[in-house]
Amino acid sequence: MFNSLSDRLTATFKNLRGKGRLTEADVDATVREIRRALLDADVAVPVVREFTGRVRERALGAEVSAALNPSQQIVKIVNEELVEILGGETRRIRLAKNGPTIIMLAGLQGAGKTTLAGKLSKWLKGQGHSPILVACDLQRPNAVNQLQVVGQRANVPVFAPHPGATSSELDQPAGDPVAVARAGVEEARQKLHDVVIVDTAGRLGVDAEMMEQARQIRRAIVPNEVLFVIDAMIGQDAVNTAHAFDEGVNFTGIVLSKLDGDARGGAALSVASVTGKPVMFASTGEGVDDFELFHPDRMASRILDMGDVLTLIEQAEKSWDKDEAARMAKKFADQEEFTLDDFLAQMQQIRNMGSMKKMLMMMPGAQNIRQQLEQFDEREIDRVEAIVRSMTPHERVAPKIINGSRRARIARGSGVHVSEVNGLLERFAQAQKMMKKMAQGGMPGMPGMPGMPGAGGGARKNAKNAPKKKAKSGNPAKAAQERKEAEARRANAAKALPTGAAFGQQSGDFDPSQLNLPKGFDKFLGK
């Protein structure tokens, strides 16, 4: 999502780099490109007009003209305006002071309400709540059964007293959803569930019957939150649909589903601005865990290819095994050997964080390597794990004993070629060396750390190859002669240098011709 928009905006800002001053023509050209990028992303025309107007007004103001780096200031303005258009600040669920918090889901059929109900319940359960799902979509065939399956995956109970419609009952009444909603809230009170999520019926289009049913459910249960679920790939029609639901049920927040799709994503930028209601959650995949709180500032950073490191850190903290991290930290502190068992444990920790592609796309500058990331095979981690698990316990601890016959056996056991086993062992040897350097207090490849020229072990290593300094003679007369010779050499070296201000002499003695500068450059220097 937002890939094309991000590419267009990044290319636009590249044209501004290196300019010490921005003219009005530069600003107009930049705003024009931003307008085209937003329209191509299916953002509503009134939103684009208002957004680019504010960007141009601020870009021509004092905050840019007085800035040391005007191009970065333009990026800052666009980032702030994107945050504003996405809702301004993170909006969380308003919990009820007494009784269960009631959340009603509304939206078109196919927007993903039922699946999202399960994701929201799993997320709330992770936040320490005790949610229950209520099946009020009694018209779509097998909608109740789908909610029960989703609830089972999320390990959340489902209240479904009516089986709902089946394919043979499409034209027949299928129960009273308003009565089911009331009974579901009462069930939550009796079973001490603190959150009730009510899944309502949708339609292929907005119609009066659907809205009336949604209004009746709203009046019957008086929800604390009414979340409008909208498909992020819906395009320009998102604004009309959002207006209709806002008038019908007066929703309090927006949930974007299918945000991991390849559509242009203009709905996400349009709905919040047009309705004035905040985007609260986003569904980012097909799994029950692919669900996250929507942060406008972080989403704006993703769009501008500045990354989303905070979300990455939160995912790591949530999934990282603290006991395993403590064990590895102790191992580093004791400078123990990094083994293939440790390597396998680290791979499993990374796997628990989720999709590698999604994590890497959260890094700053990821759009520049998006094509390589899209070609990345998630199954590579499975192959690496299969290779390591095909080794004996002794081979994992002492990989140097793995000779040709052992490598062939490991390749057969893991179902890969011997070359892949060789490649893994080579990469592991490099990782082992890096870990050893880190345990000693340095990082290879970093200036000023042990193992690099300039400090620590690297400085000592280079000292071996450096020419040895001549020892001073013990004879006083000979030592005095050596001092005179050294002073003479320094004096001759000083005469050979051009005498300018940069060399500690007066600038009046400097002759540009001594530096062999390009023709006419001496006039630039005032000569």
Side-chain angles (χ1 to χ4, degrees), residues 202-399:
R203 292 290 189 279
L204 295 176
V206 178
D207 60 38
E209 183 184 352
M210 179 192 69
M211 283 301 174
E212 182 56 33
Q213 184 184 101
R215 273 194 290 266
Q216 288 178 6
I217 294 175
R218 196 186 201 290
R219 284 195 294 266
I221 62 177
V222 191
N224 302 93
E225 297 280 6
V226 179
L227 301 183
F228 172 50
V229 182
I230 187 168
D231 187 340
M233 301 190 288
I234 196 172
Q236 288 283 349
D237 196 43
V239 175
N240 298 330
T241 306
H243 272 310
F245 272 91
D246 197 21
E247 293 173 2
V249 296
N250 188 24
F251 60 81
T252 58
I254 301 164
V255 181
L256 294 173
S257 65
K258 307 176 188 177
L259 201 62
D260 58 321
D262 56 359
R264 290 170 287 187
L269 297 175
S270 303
V271 175
S273 179
V274 169
T275 63
K277 305 294 175 67
V279 180
M280 294 176 59
F281 297 100
S283 173
T284 57
E286 296 180 0
V288 183
D289 294 314
D290 296 330
F291 182 80
E292 61 186 44
L293 191 65
F294 189 88
H295 299 276
D297 53 342
R298 300 183 191 181
M299 184 56 68
S301 293
R302 290 190 205 181
I303 293 172
L304 295 178
D305 197 24
M306 295 190 292
D308 186 1
V309 180
L310 285 176
T311 299
L312 193 59
I313 292 171
E314 287 175 1
Q315 287 185 2
E317 288 178 342
K318 185 171 62 176
S319 60
W320 205 256
D321 187 342
K322 294 181 174 59
D323 293 335
E324 176 63 22
R327 187 185 73 81
M328 286 302 300
K330 185 178 184 301
K331 194 159 193 172
F332 278 146
D334 297 340
Q335 295 190 14
E336 296 179 18
E337 190 79 8
F338 183 71
T339 67
L340 277 161
D341 280 325
D342 299 324
F343 180 70
L344 184 61
Q346 296 300 305
M347 294 288 287
Q348 289 170 339
Q349 292 272 59
I350 293 172
R351 181 205 291 273
N352 292 338
M353 291 176 63
S355 169
M356 284 290 292
K357 287 182 184 178
K358 289 182 181 178
M359 287 191 294
L360 293 171
M361 285 301 294
M362 292 181 190
M363 299 299 292
Q367 292 293 336
N368 297 329
I369 57 169
R370 191 177 73 241
Q371 188 173 359
Q372 293 94 311
L373 290 178
E374 288 174 352
Q375 294 173 353
F376 175 74
D377 188 358
E378 297 276 1
R379 294 172 298 178
E380 182 65 27
I381 297 177
D382 296 331
R383 283 192 285 270
V384 169
E385 184 174 351
I387 293 171
V388 177
R389 290 194 182 279
S390 298
M391 300 176 185
T392 66
H394 184 52
E395 286 171 343
R396 297 181 200 176
V397 177

Side-chain angles (χ1 to χ4, degrees), residues 96 98-106 132-137 159 176-189 195-201 212-227 249:
N98 300 312
T101 300
I102 303 171
I103 302 172
M104 174 180 167
L105 302 182
I132 184 172
L133 297 170
V134 179
C136 292
D137 185 355
F159 180 75
D176 184 3
V178 179
V180 172
R182 282 201 196 97
V185 174
E186 187 59 33
E187 176 79 3
R189 288 196 177 97
V195 179
V196 183
I197 301 174
V198 180
D199 179 31
T200 63
E212 182 56 33
Q213 184 184 101
R215 273 194 290 266
Q216 288 178 6
I217 294 175
R218 196 186 201 290
R219 284 195 294 266
I221 62 177
V222 191
N224 302 93
E225 297 280 6
V226 179
L227 301 183
V249 296

Side-chain angles (χ1 to χ4, degrees), residues 433-466:
K433 289 179 183 177
M434 186 185 73
M435 293 298 181
K436 190 176 291 185
K437 290 286 184 182
M438 290 174 64
Q440 294 171 356
M443 172 67 80
M446 294 294 289
M449 295 291 185
M452 285 299 297
R460 289 191 293 272
K461 187 182 290 185
N462 288 346
K464 295 178 182 178
N465 301 326

Side-chain angles (χ1 to χ4, degrees), residues 412-426:
R412 288 195 302 271
S414 55
V416 300
H417 295 289
V418 176
S419 59
E420 293 184 59
V421 178
N422 294 337
L424 172 62
L425 291 174
E426 288 175 7

